[in-house]
Amino acid sequence: MAPDADTTDRSDRCATCSDAAGSDSRTGPSIFDDTRGALARRDYAKLLATVGGLTAVGSLAAPLAGLTRVFERSYTGPVYSDGIYLVDAEGERLSESTLAEGEQTTVFPEPRPGIERAPTLLVRRPEDAYGGETRMEYTVGGYAAYSKVCTHAGCMVSDEENGTLVCPCHFGKFDPTSGAAVVGGPPPRALPQLPITLSSDGYLVATGDFEEPVGVGE
């Protein structure tokens, strides 16, 4: 059946009609069909994005607040103290079986204060390999711990060469089986040794802080 002529004419007219032409308000353009609708949708999307962003920032506020002390460079208190657990980069405590003889890793004090002074090298060697300047009362089960901050320029002692600890900045070398004594390069003194032991629950803990200054300085 052919469409009603009056209906067809009215549809054609509404495609181009305007309020100024006196069009029926019931058949006027939708807000979602013209440029005003596009603007409205964009503004709404921006509002949602802003609210979402503020929500995300709010959710991060608590964790970031907890890191304030970690990155506080003006912190001058002790790095370790008696009973502080040694943890890895993921915050996991280390047991006596964590390392095999000949291995080493970077550890931190569990509360992690003064992070720029906190990185510590934990090494494990055969117990009879230690001697020289090693403080044997600071070792346990073949483990010894030394500050990772080089005493020459404050770089991180992160390399190893034939059992010797090496700073990559100026190639300072330290012997971990002799109290991290300097065996090469420009460092003026050994890496400070951290006193450690095993806790009653089987994890490595400090029994005090570094007795020597950490990093650059006599």
Side-chain angles (χ1 to χ4, degrees), residues 144-166:
Y146 303 100
S147 170
K148 189 171 182 173
V149 186
C150 185
T151 55
H152 173 238
C155 300
M156 294 296 109
V157 180
S158 55
D159 296 340
E160 186 269 340
E161 183 180 289
N162 297 323
T164 299
L165 305 178
V166 182

Side-chain angles (χ1 to χ4, degrees), residues 1-2 12 16 23 29-30 36 42 55 58 68 81-82 98 110 122 136 138 145 150 181 183 191-193 205 215:
M1 181 174 63
D12 291 339
T16 58
S23 63
S30 167
R36 290 173 297 170
R42 283 199 295 270
T55 302
T68 301
S81 59
D82 187 22
T98 296
E110 191 167 52
L122 180 70
M136 295 304 297
Y138 285 7
C150 185
V183 292
L191 299 173
Q193 186 175 354
V205 296

Side-chain angles (χ1 to χ4, degrees), residues 69-142:
R69 192 179 181 190
V70 170
F71 294 98
E72 180 54 67
R73 292 189 174 276
S74 62
Y75 178 75
T76 57
V79 179
Y80 289 89
S81 59
D82 187 22
I84 293 295
Y85 288 91
L86 277 60
V87 297
D88 62 17
E90 285 71 46
E92 298 294 327
R93 295 177 178 179
L94 297 99
S95 68
E96 188 174 10
S97 61
T98 296
L99 297 181
E101 289 184 352
E103 293 182 335
Q104 61 199 48
T105 190
T106 301
V107 299
F108 304 87
E110 191 167 52
R112 292 186 170 186
I115 193 69
E116 75 278 6
R117 296 191 298 128
T120 304
L121 281 168
L122 180 70
V123 303
R124 192 175 194 187
R125 302 289 189 266
E127 291 191 48
D128 58 6
Y130 291 101
E133 301 301 315
T134 305
R135 299 281 297 270
M136 295 304 297
E137 69 273 21
Y138 285 7
T139 68
V140 62

